[in-house]
Amino acid sequence: MPCYAIDGVVPVVDPGAYVHPTAVLIGDVIVGPGCYVGPCAVLRGDFGRIVLERGSNVQDTCVIHGFPTRDTVVEENGHIGHGAVLHCCIVRRDALVGMNAVVLDEAEIGERSMVAACAFVPAGTRIPPRSLVAGIPAKVRRELSDEEIAGKRAGTEVYQELTGRALASMREVAPLPALTPERPRLPVSKVDALVAGRKRSGGDA
């Protein structure tokens, strides 16, 4: 992976984590056990420390950056969707930040909360635990149900399984020139699309 020291500070990646070879880690970045960092994610610890705690995932094209005075932290089982931007903030344990959402300086996403896709969380915002947050600027819409929290956790567990699959079998290859007979399907755990979850719960998550 492209991994850079700055001012003598070198990123740390636990051997049980998977960081895609196209992700970029700079400086004071600490990636804990069981974490997944996806393709083209950028973790820029050139001003302040970035910490990914056990079992968290940062998906493709995410950007994480911070300031010298505060750590930027994704706590245990945190889930950061494709293209999200985190800047000098804290995402508490079991919380989710949706695709293309932005969370700004000194904001805090409460434990087991969900930030909707494309939401904008302004600087200094404090989101309570178990909250659904959406909008520009983001506001708390309602409390999450137990079923929604369990669904989020199931999605995070799929990424934790992906960490193991990637460590075991991901490698760079040349593409096949044509489709082969009886092409295999990927052996992944079943996880419902968001629409299916909505239909089950009747909710607006």
Side-chain angles (χ1 to χ4, degrees):
M1 77 196 80
C3 195
Y4 303 91
I6 188 167
D7 298 328
V9 180
V10 179
V12 175
V13 178
D14 187 275
Y18 177 79
V19 179
H20 190 273
T22 62
V24 178
L25 275 55
I26 298 171
D28 197 1
V29 176
I30 302 168
V31 179
C35 291
Y36 173 88
V37 179
C40 299
V42 177
L43 282 65
R44 253 185 68 204
D46 48 11
F47 288 169
R49 177 168 292 178
I50 295 168
V51 180
L52 304 184
E53 294 186 359
R54 177 184 297 271
S56 59
N57 69 79
V58 173
Q59 297 171 21
D60 28 312
T61 74
C62 290
V63 175
I64 303 181
H65 192 229
F67 285 140
T69 56
R70 291 177 181 266
D71 294 352
T72 303
V73 181
V74 179
E75 290 189 345
E76 186 172 354
N77 298 324
H79 190 110
I80 312 302
H82 316 290
V85 177
L86 307 183
H87 201 272
C88 193
C89 60
I90 296 178
V91 178
R92 293 292 182 197
R93 181 186 178 114
D94 277 310
L96 177 148
V97 176
M99 294 180 278
N100 289 312
V102 176
V103 184
L104 286 188
D105 307 337
E106 300 182 26
E108 182 176 318
I109 309 303
E111 186 172 315
R112 297 182 178 177
S113 287
M114 295 186 191
V115 177
C118 297
F120 176 80
V121 180
T125 303
R126 295 288 187 272
I127 303 300
R130 296 181 62 106
S131 298
L132 173 65
V133 181
I136 302 174
K139 297 183 185 301
V140 174
R141 304 298 174 174
R142 59 176 174 81
E143 184 173 307
L144 290 166
S145 68
D146 290 343
E147 183 181 30
E148 288 167 324
I149 291 170
K152 178 271 167 193
R153 185 59 183 269
T156 300
E157 288 170 356
V158 168
Y159 269 89
Q160 291 167 348
E161 290 172 8
L162 178 58
T163 297
R165 291 170 54 216
L167 287 170
S169 69
M170 190 168 309
R171 59 193 175 91
E172 189 170 2
V173 296
L176 298 172
L179 189 64
T180 56
E182 299 182 6
R183 178 179 174 83
R185 295 280 184 173
L186 292 167
V188 297
S189 298
K190 176 165 173 43
V191 61
D192 284 337
L194 182 58
V195 172
R198 271 189 190 161
K199 287 176 180 174
R200 262 199 326 273
S201 66
D204 56 358

